[in-house]
């Protein structure tokens, strides 16, 4: 895939709006998240991990600090009842704004240039995770330098009634810069190259898992680094602590590089070609990395301390006949590609 | 050195009877125990209080029918003044316009006032009810089995229950399982024909819960009642001499003997949590007291939401605790009467018994119906005792105390209790008048405690004497909330020991006793 600029509907997110009294700020949403939020004072959007009370990673979400007392949480699934229950004992009000606020992601190498040409002056000031408000069509658009592609990119939020005029404004400005709408397949490829995981694809969320053993701890899906056990109580803290001390972590999510060029989507991962140790949840031939990449969930210790002799079984469709391939897989670091332009300041023209 | 310099082994919050039992049991194991009671005296809902000059009454709980024998034995309550003789057993009298019917001894060992065929049907049903309640009895007294990681003792306990079930024999076991979650109305219809007897049993099954006799699972309430024993006999009931306060006094004496430090008028403001562990409490007076274990014998929701705070526990747990159903439906009436009332057709001995005004199961059901919609029963059902007949010290000479539990009086009365209370009292008095004509003219003072009053006076949210509806989904492994039934909480070092925990309310001491034994076993 050519990393042209593209738009998508901000991952069809669910959005919730938080209001807290002055001075409470992040403290009031800290229960939700395992990481420390206090450093986030200037208003950037920081990816977070929300957790249910037990083992399971619940969802990923991105809260933005719109003002000292207003926050927006974008999450893949709707969680209003859970958020409302989480707000008990806190001075915070939560409202659903999924239907009233339109989200749009503008991602890719020319995304900055398009915003600038569309007249959003000052957008060059935004560093990664920063956000600011701009005028649009008699209303306000909030632009954050965020995205789900691992590329230079922005996410825009406007009142739903202004969505079409914003779309037209961007399309006009981007006409000569390769702007085009993309769907989920393209986004899915971009996020995989960036090594980002997707709920209910790479792990099953607590809300959706029917089988108790399908739930995952953050440590089991590569999000352990986000957890700060010293910050005080947060949802799931005890469960995480117990799993760590009692060594109850059974899975690990890894990036794989697989020999050959046949995508290993949903392939079974074997140890020494015979013992089943896991499953590939996303895979592709990456044109940018020029590697055959995959994300896989493995049963520890495979993928954790034992990383040799891992194989994947790929069924390659060749002219209406499956050919079974056993290919060697290597555990590699994510992201599979790292684009300097994502974080470059000021963002590059293109 | 003041007490706040001490590091207590255990601090018990709440000096209700369960708190006292927990404190005494822990202290007997050699622990330094401090008990903090918010009110000016201990006893909670098991107190004898003066409600009118010269008239004293057991203000909430007025009958003793399930004080656990292990509690009596371990705390040596008999040595501390608690005595129960077989002769103290009170009969239960079903009041009716057709003349009364009386269950004598321990829950109707002998039935009088009914036809011979009904007597024989009752004999069979009574035996069956006690047999089935006996199967549940170990479940309804011990710590509920944990579903993950059961200990050997728990396995053995479960095994014993399985064995008890097996001993029933095939037919009986089938029937046990068939009726377990049935409604009491249909079961009574299967086996009895006398409305007075059926009304009494329907009343007992639904007493203290938001269920009518026709509500599914209502039979469980009767099993709960019959799983209790007093004086070694299941189903028996007594009125302790000196009122319920005398029972608490005996437990208090046991606590004192075990060197529990009891501090009244010390409401707790906060449980101190450090790194996910409860390490002490702060009183409303601002004093910080630290302890290795904090045992809350007050309401579970109050404990978690107010003393601990939702910020220290996970959302899922807060949600469960908030969802505990605990809106009471039982009111308590106290009357100071000029002279003992005369209930029509009831002989002198039976006046000392428990008089139940619930003439038929349909009547109980009809009394229940309005409560679903926030209205009180226009013809309430009630359990009446005249405690001063057996214990003249409770009333001035010649006068009489009437104590009644009255249903249904929904906590959240739609019209509000300010206007509802006088109207409800009128409805109650109208009922009383039909069974004891002329009683209204002898009322010198009255006190009617609605669930809202009970909540305010006894710190029982919802005015619910079980601290949580005692129904199938809030019993056993699901009491107070699923996943946390074994007196533990998500906070290390914080335990629950009140009626909100398994097995539930009533003056049993079982939650407090089980919690204490669990803590002792943990640290052993």
């Amino acid at each position: 895939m050519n990393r042209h600029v593209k738009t998508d509907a901000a991952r069809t997110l669910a959005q919730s709006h938080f209001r807290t009294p002055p001075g409470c700020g992040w403290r009031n949403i800290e229960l939700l998240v395992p990481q420390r939020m206090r450093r986030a004072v200037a208003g950037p959007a920081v990816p977070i991990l929300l957790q249910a009370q037990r083992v399971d990673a619940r969802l990923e979400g991105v809260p933005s600090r719109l003002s000292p007392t207003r926050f927006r949480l974008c999450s893949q699934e709707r969680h209003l009842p859970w958020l409302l229950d989480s707000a008990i004992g806190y001075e915070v009000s939560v409202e659903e704004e999924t239907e009233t606020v339109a989200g749009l992601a503008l991602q890719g190498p020319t995304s900055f240039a398009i915003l600038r040409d569309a007249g959003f002056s000052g957008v060059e000031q935004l560093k990664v995770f920063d956000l600011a408000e701009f005028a649009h069509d008699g209303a306000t658009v909030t632009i954050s330098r965020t995205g789900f592609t691992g590329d230079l990119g922005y996410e825009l939020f406007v009142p739903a009634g202004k969505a079409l005029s914003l779309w037209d404004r961007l399309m006009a400005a981007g006409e000569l810069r390769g702007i085009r709408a993309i769907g989920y397949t393209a986004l899915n490829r971009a996020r995989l190259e960036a090594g980002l995981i997707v709920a209910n694809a790479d792990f099953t969320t607590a809300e959706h898992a029917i089988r108790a053993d399908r739930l995952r701890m953050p440590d089991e899906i590569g999000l352990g680094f986000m957890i700060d056990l010293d910050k005080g109580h947060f949802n799931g803290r005890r469960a995480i602590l117990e799993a760590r001390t009692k060594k109850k972590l059974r899975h690990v999510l890894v990036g794989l590089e697989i020999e050959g060029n046949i995508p290993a989507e949903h392939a079974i991962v074997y140890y020494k070609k015979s013992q089943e140790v896991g499953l590939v949840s996303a895979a592709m031939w990456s044109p940018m990395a020029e590697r055959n990449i995959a994300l896989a969930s493995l049963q520890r210790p495979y993928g954790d301390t034992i990383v040799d002799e891992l194989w994947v079984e790929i069924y390659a469709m060749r002219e209406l006949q499956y050919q079974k391939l056993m290919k060697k897989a290597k555990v590699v670091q994510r992201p599979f590609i790292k684009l300097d332009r994502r974080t470059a300041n000021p963002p590059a023209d293109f | 050195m003041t007490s706040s310099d001490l590091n207590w082994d255990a601090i018990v919050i709440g000096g209700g009877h369960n708190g006292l039992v927990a404190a005494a049991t822990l202290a007997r194991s050699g622990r330094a125990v401090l008990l903090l009671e918010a009110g000016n005296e201990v006893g909670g809902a098991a107190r004898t209080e003066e409600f009118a000059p010269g008239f004293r009454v057991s203000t909430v709980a007025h009958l003793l029918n399930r004080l656990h024998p292990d509690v009596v034995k371990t705390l040596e309550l008999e040595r501390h003044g608690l005595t129960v003789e077989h002769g103290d057993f009170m009969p239960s009298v079903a009041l009716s316009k057709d003349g009364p019917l009386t269950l004598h001894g321990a829950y109707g060992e002998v039935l009088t006032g009914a036809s011979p065929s009904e007597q024989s049907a009752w004999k069979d049903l009574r035996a069956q009810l006690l047999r089935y309640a006996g199967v549940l009895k170990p479940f309804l007294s011990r710590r509920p089995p944990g579903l993950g990681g059961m200990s050997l003792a728990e396995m053995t306990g479960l095994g014993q229950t399985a064995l008890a079930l097996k001993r029933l024999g095939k037919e009986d076991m089938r029937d046990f399982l068939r009726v377990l979650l049935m409604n009491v109305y249909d079961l009574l219809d299967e086996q009895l024909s006398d409305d007075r007897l059926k009304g009494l049993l329907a009343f007992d099954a639904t007493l203290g819960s938001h269920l009518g006799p026709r509500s599914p699972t209502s039979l469980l309430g009767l099993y709960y009642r019959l799983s209790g024993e007093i004086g070694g006999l299941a189903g028996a009931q007594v009125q302790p001499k000196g009122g319920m306060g005398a029972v608490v006094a005996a437990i208090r004496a046991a606590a004192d003997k075990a060197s529990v430090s009891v501090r009244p008028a010390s409401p707790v403001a906060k449980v101190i949590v450090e790194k996910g562990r409860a390490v002490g409490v702060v009183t409303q007076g601002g004093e910080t007291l630290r302890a290795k274990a904090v045992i809350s014998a007050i309401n579970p929701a109050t404990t978690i939401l107010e003393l601990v705070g939702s910020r220290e526990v996970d959302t899922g747990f807060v949600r469960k605790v908030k969802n505990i159903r605990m809106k009471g439906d039982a009111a308590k009436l106290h009357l100071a009467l000029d002279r003992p009332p005369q209930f029509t057709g009831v002989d002198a001995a039976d006046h000392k018994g428990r008089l139940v005004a619930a003439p038929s199961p349909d009547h109980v059901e009809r009394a229940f119906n309005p409560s679903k919609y926030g209205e009180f029963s226009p013809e309430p059902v009630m359990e009446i005792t005249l405690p001063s007949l057996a214990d003249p010290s409770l009333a001035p000479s010649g006068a009489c105390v009437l104590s009644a539990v009255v249903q249904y009086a929904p906590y959240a009365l739609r019209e509000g209790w300010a206007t509802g209370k006088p109207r409800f009292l009128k409805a109650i008095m109208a009922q009383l008048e039909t069974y004891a004509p002329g009683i209204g003219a002898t009322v010198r003072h009255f006190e009617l405690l609605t669930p809202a009053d009970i909540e305010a006076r006894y710190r029982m949210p919802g005015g619910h004497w079980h601290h949580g509806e005692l129904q199938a989904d809030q019993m056993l492994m699901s009491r107070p909330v699923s996943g946390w039934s074994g007196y533990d909480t998500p906070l290390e070092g914080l335990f629950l020991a009140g009626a909100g925990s398994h097995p539930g309310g009533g003056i049993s001491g079982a939650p407090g006793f089980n919690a204490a034994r669990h803590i002792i076993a943990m640290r052993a």
Side-chain angles (χ1 to χ4, degrees), chain B residues 432-447:
Chain B
L432 281 174
E433 200 70 32
T434 63
Y435 297 110
I439 190 173
T442 65
V443 176
R444 205 184 287 178
H445 295 283
F446 77 91
E447 177 179 66

Side-chain angles (χ1 to χ4, degrees), chain B residues 209-292:
Chain B
S209 73
H210 186 69
L211 289 177
R214 277 182 155 135
S215 310
T217 73
S218 57
L219 178 60
L220 274 180
L222 195 54
Y223 284 152
Y224 185 74
R225 165 74 176 79
L226 295 177
S227 70
E229 62 174 74
I230 198 76
L233 276 180
Q237 60 194 0
V238 299
Q239 234 165 193
K241 286 241 166 8
M244 208 50 84
V247 179
V248 158
I251 304 173
R252 168 76 194 260
D256 288 343
K257 172 101 188 304
S259 307
V260 174
S261 298
V262 178
R263 238 199 260 178
S266 304
V268 170
K270 190 170 164 293
V271 169
I272 307 167
V273 180
E274 285 173 5
K275 291 185 179 158
R277 210 193 140 79
V279 296
V281 301
V282 180
T283 64
Q284 280 181 14
E287 192 180 359
T288 299
L289 299 156
R290 298 180 77 87
K292 289 181 192 139

Side-chain angles (χ1 to χ4, degrees), chain A residues 229-234 237-238 241, chain B residues 7 270-282 288-292 294 307-309 311-313 489-494:
Chain A
L229 286 176
D230 296 326
K231 69 164 239 182
H233 184 70
F234 57 85
R237 183 181 183 277
R238 288 181 189 96
L241 191 63
Chain B
N7 247 335
K270 190 170 164 293
V271 169
I272 307 167
V273 180
E274 285 173 5
K275 291 185 179 158
R277 210 193 140 79
V279 296
V281 301
V282 180
T288 299
L289 299 156
R290 298 180 77 87
K292 289 181 192 139
V294 176
L307 299 191
V308 171
R311 296 176 184 220
E312 296 294 342
V313 285
T489 68
L491 292 154
E492 236 181 287
L494 178 69

Side-chain angles (χ1 to χ4, degrees), chain A residues 23-337:
Chain A
C24 292
W26 284 114
R27 196 163 55 77
N28 265 337
I29 60 169
E30 280 228 22
L31 172 78
L32 296 174
V33 301
Q35 60 266 56
R36 217 176 267 275
M37 305 297 297
R38 288 187 188 88
R39 63 188 168 82
V41 285
V46 183
I48 61 159
L49 174 70
L50 301 184
Q51 282 202 270
Q53 92 260 24
R54 288 183 57 76
V55 275
D56 32 328
R58 187 175 189 94
L59 67 153
E60 288 176 276
V62 182
S64 322
R65 188 174 202 175
L66 306 173
S67 80
T69 60
R70 289 169 56 238
F71 300 82
R72 172 177 294 136
L73 175 75
C74 296
S75 53
Q76 180 164 337
E77 297 173 338
R78 295 192 182 215
H79 291 288
L80 189 65
W82 187 76
L83 292 172
L84 288 172
D85 283 351
S86 298
I88 294 166
Y90 288 77
E91 293 176 72
V92 59
S93 67
V94 187
E95 62 192 67
E96 172 103 31
E97 58 176 29
T98 307
E99 305 295 331
T100 54
V101 173
L104 182 76
L106 181 68
Q107 304 277 308
T110 64
S111 55
F112 160 67
I114 292 171
L115 287 176
R116 183 198 57 203
D117 294 354
F120 294 110
S121 67
V123 78
E124 70 280 356
Q125 305 286 331
L126 296 180
K127 299 189 173 74
V128 168
F129 293 134
D130 279 355
L131 64 81
E133 292 187 341
F134 299 86
H136 170 70
D137 193 14
T140 300
V141 53
T142 302
I143 303 181
S144 60
R145 189 168 163 186
T146 51
F148 200 57
T149 58
D151 207 327
L152 172 63
Y154 299 85
E155 288 173 315
L156 295 78
F157 298 89
V158 278
K162 303 293 181 185
L164 292 181
S165 63
L166 178 66
W167 177 274
D168 292 342
R169 182 174 172 183
L170 294 175
M171 281 298 174
E175 196 178 358
L176 297 176
R177 293 186 188 270
I179 194 167
R180 55 181 292 203
I182 64 159
Y184 186 73
T185 306
L187 175 68
N188 196 35
R189 294 169 70 87
R191 71 94 186 173
L192 178 53
E193 286 180 324
L196 302 170
I197 60 172
V198 172
N200 293 322
D202 300 302
F203 69 97
T204 307
T205 61
E207 298 286 87
H208 286 264
I210 293 166
R211 299 162 184 84
D213 66 342
R214 300 301 197 273
L215 301 173
R216 293 287 185 271
M217 301 285 292
D219 288 304
E220 294 178 306
I221 53 173
L223 298 179
F225 71 94
M226 296 177 111
I227 291 158
D228 180 355
L229 286 176
D230 296 326
K231 69 164 239 182
H233 184 70
F234 57 85
N235 267 314
R237 183 181 183 277
R238 288 181 189 96
I240 290 170
L241 191 63
E242 187 187 313
R244 284 184 178 179
T245 48
K246 293 191 179 164
K247 305 228 179 301
K248 278 193 194 162
L249 299 168
R250 291 171 297 124
H251 298 92
V252 60
L253 189 139
V254 294
L256 294 180
E257 186 180 331
I258 298 162
E259 64 173 338
N261 61 3
I262 311 294
E265 195 136 37
H266 294 129
I268 293 174
V269 183
Y270 292 92
Y271 176 62
K272 292 189 172 169
K273 294 190 184 179
S274 59
Q275 186 190 343
E276 208 179 304
V277 295
L279 185 84
V280 170
S281 54
M284 68 182 282
W285 164 261
S286 163
M288 297 263 316
E290 295 187 332
R291 291 189 289 165
N292 194 21
I293 61 173
L295 293 175
S297 280
L298 305 184
Q299 288 147 29
R300 294 173 193 242
Y302 304 100
D304 182 26
T305 52
I306 300 176
V307 292
D308 297 331
E309 283 291 330
L310 294 177
W311 298 78
V312 295
E313 187 180 46
I314 303 170
Y315 285 76
M317 176 67 88
R318 285 178 177 158
E319 296 177 330
L320 289 181
Q321 190 174 323
Y322 273 123
Q323 188 174 352
K324 195 166 96 176
L325 309 170
M326 192 61 94
K327 294 290 186 186
K328 184 115 203 214
K330 189 170 78 179
V331 174
V332 295
Q333 288 295 311
R334 288 180 289 149
F336 299 104
I337 61 160

